[in-house]
Amino acid sequence: MSSSPAALQQALAAEHAAIYGYGLVLGQLTGDARDDGLSALDAHRARRDRLRALVIAAGGTPTEAAPAYRPEAPVQGAAAAAKVAADLERDVALAFGDLIAASTAETRTFAARSLQDIAVQQTAWQHAAPRFPGLVSDPTPTASPAPPPA
């Protein structure tokens, strides 16, 4: 088996939510920001379709999209839309981080490349790079780094 069925379904569910969320976001954007949003939407649709195929290939039934999703914040105006888009990307990144950990071979490569693309998109929306995409919280070092050998 190339990946955990639960991790595939989780990533698929995250893509469904992102696709719905971008429908809300795009209504508040114009110009280049809208073009960027449309490109992101296309990427989410492509990943959704790939995930559905992976679930089916693994013998499962793909998770279907919910009728509606509630954004974490109201989507009123371009700034709020960019914030919601960054939040959507973060949520999808978390699911793909889990998929990387639960996958092997070709699925892991797909998930890792997807996470890279998602992190770039999240960075573009929030104008700052996430500390480490796919982690629930910032890692806290448990020890000081060792000094280099003399």
Side-chain angles (χ1 to χ4, degrees):
M1 171 161 37
S2 64
S3 61
S4 159
L8 282 170
Q9 295 283 20
Q10 178 184 347
L12 178 56
E15 288 294 5
H16 286 314
I19 290 164
Y20 182 92
Y22 268 97
L24 300 174
V25 165
L26 287 167
Q28 299 296 313
L29 300 175
T30 60
D32 290 341
R34 183 170 173 78
D35 292 342
D36 293 343
L38 287 168
S39 293
L41 176 60
D42 287 343
H44 286 290
R45 286 177 175 155
R47 283 192 298 269
R48 175 207 54 203
D49 294 346
R50 176 83 184 270
L51 288 163
R52 285 181 55 82
L54 288 169
V55 169
I56 291 168
T61 301
T63 299
E64 294 299 330
Y69 298 86
R70 184 181 312 248
E72 292 182 20
V75 187
Q76 297 174 340
K83 166 80 169 85
V84 169
D87 291 346
L88 292 169
E89 298 296 343
R90 180 205 61 227
D91 292 347
V92 175
L94 294 171
F96 272 87
D98 289 344
L99 183 57
I100 290 167
S103 300
T104 59
E106 190 175 320
T107 302
R108 180 174 285 158
T109 300
F110 160 68
R113 287 187 177 141
S114 296
L115 180 57
Q116 179 182 5
D117 293 343
I118 294 161
V120 168
Q121 190 62 53
Q122 181 182 358
T123 298
W125 288 120
Q126 66 190 23
H127 304 291
R131 284 194 50 128
F132 190 84
L135 288 182
V136 175
S137 62
D138 291 334
T140 303
T142 56
S144 299

